[in-house]
Amino acid sequence: MSLRIETILCRAGRMDNYSYLLTDEETGTSAIIDPSETTPIIKRCDELGCKPSYILNTHHHYDHTDANIEIKKYYQAKVVGSEYDAKRIPGLDESVKDGATWFLGKSKAEIIRVDGHTIGHILWYFPEDKALFTGDTLFNLCIGGLFEGTSNDMFASLNKIKNLPDDTLFYPGHEYTIHGIPFALHYMPNNPELQNYIQHTQQKLNRGLPVGPISLGIEKQCNPYLKAQSLREFESLLGQ
């Protein structure tokens, strides 16, 4: 394991986006995932003396790509994103497809396509570092809205996530935990793992820290959408 991960809050108090600064410690090569806002990203990179070589996008939505061009110019970085989203990602230099392997220095990422929130959304999964960047597909205790895909698309995508190892830590694109708590409690009022999750959430947020990362093993026990065993059950959670 050689991947150092720094969480950067963008659009604070508005959309509470998370961008992530990844650094392969063996080579010093760095990347920004989903740069939503230029100022906090450059500020944090400068504080750390870091010059990202890459921008990695999960999908095309503006609150995940707004800073692509400015960050690209500032650091002479290359933008990497889904080939299925190629015409919608600003400044795209390199495209990747489902099942591909991509390297940040010597840190290996696997690309997983997850239609639902959008068509062509991808996950960046670093198996050796047990890190998964879920964009707007999976949040703490909830999931992304179906802007382009169908319920069947999203259910299939979540099953891909459920098949990953339980000790994988996932890093979502927004801080939405507080919005997911009432929904999760409605379906699992007596779930002790969920009670612990909520306590953890309150402690982290009270300290001004992100709730994540959380392991997929815990999320599978507490997120109602991940507990759904059939498409019908999943659609009932969506109110369909």
Side-chain angles (χ1 to χ4, degrees), residues 1 70 73 79 88 106 143 150 167 192:
M1 295 174 62
E70 290 181 341
K73 290 181 178 178
V79 178
R88 303 193 290 181
K106 294 188 177 181
I143 59 172
T150 66
D167 60 354

Side-chain angles (χ1 to χ4, degrees), residues 113-230:
R113 181 173 175 172
V114 284
D115 293 339
H117 180 68
T118 62
I119 299 299
H121 192 303
I122 59 173
L123 308 179
W124 291 86
Y125 173 48
F126 292 80
E128 295 171 5
D129 298 275
K130 301 180 180 181
L132 176 70
F133 298 89
T134 57
D136 281 2
T137 295
L138 178 66
F139 302 123
N140 299 94
L141 301 181
C142 53
I143 59 172
L146 301 181
F147 286 96
E148 296 176 10
T150 66
S151 57
N152 188 56
D153 290 332
M154 180 62 93
F155 184 63
S157 294
L158 294 178
N159 280 330
K160 291 181 181 181
I161 293 175
K162 288 168 66 174
N163 287 332
L164 297 177
D166 283 352
D167 60 354
T168 302
L169 298 178
F170 85 95
Y171 297 79
H174 293 268
E175 181 51 75
Y176 284 168
T177 320
I178 202 72
H179 303 295
I181 288 175
F183 184 76
L185 277 175
H186 175 75
Y187 283 95
M188 296 174 286
N190 300 313
N191 183 334
E193 289 81 9
L194 178 58
Q195 297 298 330
N196 290 334
Y197 198 127
I198 293 171
Q199 184 178 13
H200 169 82
T201 294
Q202 293 169 337
Q203 291 172 346
K204 296 297 284 290
L205 293 180
N206 287 342
R207 295 167 58 195
L209 299 173
V211 172
I214 296 288
S215 75
L216 288 181
I218 293 174
E219 195 67 22
K220 291 173 191 178
Q221 297 179 60
C222 299
N223 189 320
Y225 296 102
L226 294 185
K227 291 183 74 67
Q229 297 299 307
S230 67

